[in-house]
Amino acid sequence: MFNASLYPSSLSAVQHPLAVYGWDEGWEAEFAPYAAQGLLPGRVVRVDRGQCDVATPDGVVRADTAFVVPHDPMKVVCTGDWVAVDPEGSDPRYARTILPRRTAFVRSTSSKRSEGQVLATNIDHIVICVSLAVELDLGRIERFLALAMSSSSGEALLRTSADSWESGAQPLVVLTKADLVPDPAALAYLVQDVETAAPGVQVLTVSSLTGEGTDVLAAIVADGTSVLLGISGAGKSTLANALLGADVMEVQATRDVDGKGRHTTTTRNLLALPGGGVLIDTPGLRGVGLWDAGTGVGQVFSEIEEYAADCRFQDCAHEAEPGCAVLAAIDAGELPLRRLESYRKLMRENQRIVAKTDARLRAEIRRDWRSKAAEGRANYAAKRGRNA
């Protein structure tokens, strides 16, 4: 049985049995009040209905989640959480509380409800997997990145340079099944397209079949906790197996007609990697609704916001206003129209989500709609007058 008194020094975090799962001095300090109560620290490696598997100093134990499933869906226990668990001999055995999360990847559960769903917590790297077996969907990549760049424990991510983020998880785009694009020039064009959609984010091509790029990815994820995200058929479970060095995750073939896969992974699983680091594999996501991702959208489309700073009007909508620097950049060929359309779409969606819980924003949106409607009627009347 684990005995906390055996780890009294500042080196205890490094020597701790849970160090392979990411335990450090920060978690040790957070857990101190619960250690005094005789509880065990543990990291949630899997959550089922009413139960969770927790990696503790005594091994992986099964615990009841009754105390860590509140009415607020944003505070429900999730894979990646650190928890305080009853010691051995307790019957039933409970996860008593969740330690404060450092980061969390959250999506909207539905466009019709103002609820968020936490997919993974305490993550350092968000690995967005995109299959090269099908045509690239740059809009979906931008959507994933907007959420990734907003993932934190409540504080927005702030980019301080092209490849540095002040807080939160580091995003990374991994183009899987690179062996299906044997032409180096064609592969380079695809990477360039993704880099345009993901400014400042590392883009890596990998092939689980040939091993291309997996050593680079393994070195990245060896530092901290990483979560694999993507739609079904993106190759997440195959990539997880390559990083684990064993067929741990079940894999199924994708459909030839559209490259889509079945939901082979049905739960979020946390696994310690042999080369260091922790990996969370997730089920394929059919939809990725934004959740308070305004900061992330702004970062994904940072070049648009830079152009917007030079617009004549501070509240320029970049539609038909005179002196719009964004439209000027499109006319000059400096900014793809697709990027602006994607930016508008994600900003509108995020505004709707936020407005569901913000009465003042709802009122502002209604005033804006009325103003635009009146302007449209005035313009229509003016045109009729000129044509009369």
Side-chain angles (χ1 to χ4, degrees):
M1 180 183 296
F2 173 70
N3 186 345
S5 65
L6 298 179
Y7 301 90
S9 71
S10 60
L11 295 178
S12 62
V14 177
Q15 300 168 344
H16 198 281
L18 290 175
V20 294
Y21 287 98
W23 183 264
D24 58 27
E25 293 179 5
W27 293 121
E28 185 176 41
E30 290 281 1
F31 188 75
Y34 305 104
Q37 299 173 28
L39 298 175
L40 287 179
R43 193 162 193 192
V44 178
V45 299
R46 177 177 173 145
V47 178
D48 295 317
R49 192 181 299 273
Q51 298 282 319
C52 63
D53 292 335
V54 183
T56 74
D58 292 341
V60 177
V61 303
R62 193 76 164 161
D64 193 291
T65 62
F67 291 99
V68 287
V69 183
H71 293 297
D72 185 348
M74 296 285 284
K75 297 180 180 179
V76 171
V77 66
C78 181
T79 301
D81 276 329
W82 287 96
V83 295
V85 184
D86 286 332
E88 184 179 357
S90 302
D91 187 22
R93 196 169 194 172
Y94 289 99
R96 293 288 174 175
T97 191
I98 301 173
L99 299 189
R101 293 164 174 166
R102 293 178 180 175
T103 57
F105 186 92
V106 184
R107 69 165 178 175
S108 174
T109 55
S110 169
S111 60
K112 298 180 181 179
R113 298 199 308 271
S114 55
E115 292 183 0
Q117 178 189 20
V118 183
L119 298 182
T121 64
N122 300 315
I123 45 182
D124 302 290
H125 306 283
I126 297 177
V127 183
I128 300 167
C129 299
V130 180
S131 173
L132 290 176
V134 295
E135 184 177 354
L136 285 176
D137 186 338
L138 298 179
R140 180 182 288 123
I141 294 173
E142 289 162 344
R143 176 179 292 272
F144 269 106
L145 285 170
L147 281 171
M149 294 177 181
S150 298
S151 65
S152 70
S153 57
E155 298 180 359
L157 291 173
L158 301 174
R159 189 169 66 172
T160 56
S161 67
D163 57 357
S164 176
W165 302 89
E166 187 174 300
S167 64
Q170 293 274 346
L172 168 69
V173 177
V174 172
L175 303 180
T176 64
K177 308 180 185 182
D179 52 283
L180 298 180
V181 187
D183 182 2
L187 184 60
Y189 279 124
L190 292 172
V191 171
Q192 186 177 26
D193 285 344
V194 175
E195 288 176 338
T196 300
V201 176
Q202 183 176 359
V203 179
L204 179 65
T205 58
V206 303
S207 169
S208 299
L209 181 65
T210 66
E212 174 190 345
T214 55
D215 55 339
V216 177
L217 180 59
I220 294 173
V221 300
D223 179 22
T225 299
S226 304
V227 60
L228 299 181
L229 296 172
I231 65 171
S232 295
K236 299 184 301 299
S237 294
T238 303
L239 187 58
N241 286 338
L243 294 171
L244 290 163
D247 292 335
V248 176
M249 306 304 298
E250 184 182 356
V251 176
Q252 293 185 4
T254 58
R255 299 193 305 235
D256 292 335
V257 64
D258 56 10
K260 292 183 179 179
R262 302 179 183 88
H263 290 281
T264 307
T265 302
T266 56
T267 59
R268 293 183 285 278
N269 303 281
L270 184 146
L271 304 157
L273 295 170
V278 178
L279 187 70
I280 299 176
D281 190 21
T282 65
L285 301 175
R286 289 189 178 90
V288 189
L290 297 186
W291 179 259
D292 197 10
T295 301
V297 174
Q299 291 175 343
V300 173
F301 298 92
S302 57
E303 80 278 29
I304 293 180
E305 302 222 330
E306 288 172 4
Y307 282 120
D310 294 327
C311 288
R312 181 184 302 177
F313 302 109
Q314 188 174 3
D315 60 348
C316 183
H318 320 308
E319 293 177 351
E321 296 86 347
C324 176
V326 174
L327 296 180
I330 290 176
D331 291 340
E334 299 171 359
L335 177 67
L337 178 59
R338 187 206 67 79
R339 287 279 287 171
L340 178 58
E341 292 174 342
S342 183
Y343 172 77
R344 287 171 175 163
K345 178 180 179 181
L346 294 181
M347 287 296 284
R348 285 195 300 267
E349 178 182 334
N350 188 69
Q351 188 180 51
R352 287 196 300 270
I353 291 294
V354 175
K356 289 179 180 180
T357 56
D358 189 326
R360 179 163 44 176
L361 181 57
R362 284 199 301 273
E364 290 177 358
I365 293 174
R366 283 195 294 268
R367 285 195 297 270
D368 184 53
W369 284 346
R370 286 195 293 266
S371 175
K372 288 185 177 180
E375 182 181 351
R377 288 193 298 270
N379 290 338
Y380 179 70
K383 287 181 180 179
R384 289 192 64 185
R386 287 196 300 269
N387 295 333

